[in-house]
């Protein structure tokens, strides 16, 4: 069984290497002067030329709103945002997961207590 698994993994890894390298050279520049958020993306991704240069008026927007703009700019080009560019968005997503988990655990405990109360009577 171990031998079959090793052969399978070897086959899969050799097939993935046979696909060839997908070169990706991207240069991104993001500047924010509290009034305008400028995003520039230039380079190649998997053989596709990418050139993106947009500016957004961000007067009065908070950091999370600015990070959502960055996310959508990168998403529109079919590339992922570097994690270093969206720390507030990642923190917000992690906070949401924690809050939902706490809510689920709390509801489960309440329903279990009420069920235990019914069973002991």
């Amino acid at each position: 069984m171990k031998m079959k698994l090793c052969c399978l993994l070897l086959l899969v890894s050799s097939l993935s290497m046979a696909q060839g390298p997908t070169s990706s050279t991207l240069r991104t520049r993001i500047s924010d002067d509290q009034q305008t958020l400028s995003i520039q993306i230039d380079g190649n991704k998997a053989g596709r030329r990418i050139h993106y240069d947009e500016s957004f008026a961000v007067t009065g927007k908070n950091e999370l709103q600015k990070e959502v703009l960055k996310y959508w700019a990168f998403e529109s080009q079919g590339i992922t945002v570097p994690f270093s560019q969206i720390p507030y968005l990642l923190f917000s997503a992690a906070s949401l997961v924690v809050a939902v988990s706490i809510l689920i655990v709390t509801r489960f405990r309440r329903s279990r207590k009420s069920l235990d109360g019914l069973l002991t009577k």
Side-chain angles (χ1 to χ4, degrees), residues 28-95:
T28 61
R29 182 173 176 258
I30 299 173
S31 62
D32 181 10
D33 64 3
Q34 303 302 322
Q35 295 173 352
T36 305
L37 175 67
S38 299
I39 302 172
Q40 298 173 342
I41 307 169
D42 288 304
N44 293 312
K45 173 81 175 187
R48 184 174 57 98
R49 176 85 177 121
I50 295 175
H51 177 72
Y52 183 85
D53 187 4
E54 290 289 330
S55 296
F56 304 96
V58 292
T59 304
K61 295 192 186 276
N62 62 31
E63 289 298 318
L64 186 58
Q65 291 170 322
K66 292 177 187 179
E67 289 190 10
V68 170
L69 281 174
K70 291 178 195 176
Y71 174 79
W72 286 115
F74 278 82
E75 185 70 23
S76 72
Q77 300 303 307
I79 54 179
T80 57
V81 184
F83 290 130
S84 62
Q85 296 295 330
I86 54 169
Y88 287 104
L89 192 59
L90 294 174
F91 177 74
S92 298
S95 299

